[in-house]
Amino acid sequence: MKRALCLLLSLLFLLSLAACSQTQPEETKPETPQAESQTTTEIVSEPEPEPEKPITASDINVQRQDSSKKDSSGQVICEHYYDLVVVKGESEVAAAINAAFQADYEEFLSKNNEVEQYLSEGFQPTPDAPFFFTVEAEVTNTEDNVLSVLYCEKWYMGGTSNISYRGLTFDLESGKPLNMEDVFPLSSTTVLDCVKNTLSYYIYQNNLSLDTSEELLQPESYCIQNRQLVLCFDSYTLGRDGTTITCPITLGGQMKTAAEQRSMLQKNEWIGFWCASEDNGQVSRLVMDMSFETDGSCSVAFGFLETEFDFVGTGTYQLSDDHILTMNLSISDVYEESESYDATYQFEVFSGNDESILIQPTDDNSLYGQRKGSTVLIIPYDTFFS
């Protein structure tokens, strides 16, 4: 029995070996490397914002806001309107300028209650004699990236009528308001002296008895019109009604070449005005008479406005191509004939339309001890006495 069992086990073992020898292990194939997946990320940049288009004259409109009062028959008995200046566009510059115009308009609206009160309690207006409270606007400049607007405000409610002028001026590149000194290619000293000289001339020409203090010889506001500085005044400053006065400072620089200036100087006899500031805050107003001949000779007379000419002089002059006027003079005292002296005066000539400005270029050899940047406003006699 045991022998048979052993034979059986041996047979099974041999069969197992035969089966193992016929079964080959599967060949492990090397893995084929997979190509790395390449993901390309496209960088999409945001488009650059388009530069803001410059504001031009066609972008500026005047829109009349009219709330005039009418009687029962539909006729106007109180003119009540405001010209609102609007700059088209969505730019920050347009928004800044429009905000300033809107603020001025709201100041106008704040006085509506006064109008209603006058209409209910004051004199009764008629279509033939209407009341009025109006603000008319004129766009006076859009050149050289300068926007300037002149306002004329009129008021009449049955008593005394008033007319006032004011100006608003802006930089069309930034939207910021501009002071007078910011607009012109001159120092602030020169600009302010030109203003004082112009006002001194106006006071003298119109025989106004005014205290010529530093405060008076400054405008309430200004605008640019015909490329020149225009000073704006309210009622009762230089007279009952407000007024505008042109100062011969030109936007953008010289309007005339040196050759044109020579011809201009020789063509006219000139009267000049300038102001000397005193320590007490007052202003001494001075006057000068000047003539220039084609042969290079010249003559001057100058002194205080109240006493007119205290000194006279004769000599020669030269006007260089860079607009520097040099006068070599022998000067005598009108009241002390024995007193005389030689003097050399130099000025930078800055010409406008008919008038010119003589600017003191240095502190040396100055007229009446004036500082650098001080000015003399000269006007043709024919213009002054016309």
Side-chain angles (χ1 to χ4, degrees):
M1 183 69 181
K2 290 183 180 179
R3 186 177 180 181
L5 180 61
C6 289
L7 290 172
L8 179 60
L9 290 174
S10 298
L11 180 61
L12 291 173
F13 178 74
L14 291 173
L15 290 172
S16 298
L17 289 177
C20 288
S21 62
Q22 292 178 1
T23 305
Q24 299 294 328
E26 292 185 3
E27 182 179 356
T28 304
K29 296 181 179 180
E31 293 184 1
T32 303
Q34 299 291 325
E36 293 183 7
S37 60
Q38 298 180 355
T39 303
T40 302
T41 303
E42 183 179 355
I43 300 175
V44 180
S45 58
E46 294 183 3
E48 294 184 4
E50 294 184 4
E52 293 183 355
K53 294 181 180 180
I55 296 172
T56 63
S58 61
D59 297 320
I60 302 166
N61 297 320
V62 178
Q63 301 173 0
R64 177 157 295 180
Q65 312 298 311
D66 197 336
S67 55
S68 297
K69 310 298 181 182
K70 299 180 181 180
D71 62 13
S72 57
S73 64
Q75 293 183 294
V76 174
I77 58 173
C78 179
E79 296 180 2
H80 188 213
Y81 58 80
Y82 178 97
D83 286 348
L84 178 62
V85 182
V86 177
V87 180
K88 293 190 299 184
E90 303 297 328
S91 68
E92 293 182 1
V93 172
I97 297 174
N98 285 335
F101 289 143
Q102 183 66 28
D104 193 83
Y105 177 44
E106 290 174 1
E107 177 67 20
F108 169 84
L109 293 177
S110 69
K111 301 176 183 178
N112 282 355
N113 289 338
E114 295 181 39
V115 175
E116 296 295 342
Q117 183 177 353
Y118 274 103
L119 289 173
S120 61
E121 299 178 3
F123 299 101
Q124 293 301 311
T126 66
D128 294 330
F131 290 174
F132 49 82
F133 176 32
T134 62
V135 175
E136 298 179 359
E138 177 187 359
V139 178
T140 54
N141 189 83
T142 57
E143 298 180 21
D144 290 14
N145 289 318
V146 175
L147 168 61
S148 199
V149 177
L150 174 63
Y151 293 94
C152 176
E153 180 175 312
K154 299 178 182 179
W155 170 277
Y156 173 71
M157 291 291 158
T160 302
S161 63
N162 295 327
I163 300 176
S164 298
Y165 293 90
R166 65 179 180 275
L168 291 176
T169 301
F170 301 92
D171 184 338
L172 283 176
E173 291 185 332
S174 68
K176 295 180 179 180
L178 293 172
N179 296 322
M180 283 189 298
E181 303 93 310
D182 300 328
V183 178
F184 301 97
L186 300 168
S187 70
S188 59
T189 297
T190 297
V191 172
L192 294 177
D193 275 1
C194 288
V195 169
K196 294 176 186 178
N197 297 345
T198 301
L199 293 178
S200 178
Y201 158 62
Y202 181 87
I203 291 168
Y204 181 81
Q205 188 183 43
N206 291 276
N207 297 315
L208 300 178
S209 299
L210 297 173
D211 173 33
T212 53
S213 63
E214 289 277 7
E215 290 75 17
L216 173 65
L217 295 179
Q218 296 179 17
E220 279 88 14
S221 61
Y222 80 100
C223 72
I224 307 299
Q225 189 171 38
N226 297 324
R227 299 185 63 81
Q228 290 192 303
L229 172 62
V230 175
L231 312 175
C232 303
F233 292 90
D234 292 336
S235 301
Y236 301 105
T237 302
L238 295 176
R240 198 195 74 166
D241 287 334
T243 189
T244 60
I245 302 171
T246 300
C247 181
I249 305 179
T250 306
L251 182 67
Q254 292 280 5
M255 290 181 64
K256 290 181 170 60
T257 65
E260 290 171 330
Q261 286 177 333
R262 291 188 196 97
S263 176
M264 183 177 174
L265 288 175
Q266 295 164 1
K267 182 180 178 181
N268 299 289
E269 185 175 0
W270 300 87
I271 184 168
F273 295 85
W274 80 99
C275 298
S277 300
E278 306 293 343
D279 293 338
N280 60 4
Q282 296 299 109
V283 175
S284 295
R285 296 178 295 153
L286 298 102
V287 64
M288 173 185 283
D289 177 283
M290 310 173 74
S291 63
F292 302 89
E293 306 301 329
T294 56
D295 63 1
S297 62
C298 65
S299 62
V300 300
F302 54 90
F304 290 94
L305 195 62
E306 291 76 10
T307 58
E308 298 199 349
F309 303 126
D310 300 319
F311 301 91
V312 296
T314 57
T316 61
Y317 76 95
Q318 290 181 325
L319 180 62
S320 67
D321 290 339
D322 55 354
H323 308 280
I324 299 298
L325 173 66
T326 302
M327 294 185 291
N328 298 298
L329 302 169
S330 177
I331 298 176
S332 301
D333 190 319
V334 171
Y335 302 104
E336 299 289 341
E337 294 185 5
S338 59
E339 294 187 11
S340 62
Y341 60 93
D342 294 334
T344 297
Y345 297 128
Q346 279 193 328
F347 300 97
E348 181 181 3
V349 183
F350 191 91
S351 296
N353 291 324
D354 296 322
E355 305 87 351
S356 287
I357 300 165
L358 308 184
I359 304 171
Q360 185 76 42
T362 68
D363 291 322
D364 301 327
N365 300 323
S366 60
L367 187 65
Y368 267 85
Q370 290 293 77
R371 66 197 184 286
K372 177 180 178 180
S374 299
T375 67
V376 179
L377 168 67
I378 61 172
I379 301 160
Y381 255 77
D382 291 345
T383 301
F384 179 72
F385 290 107
S386 61

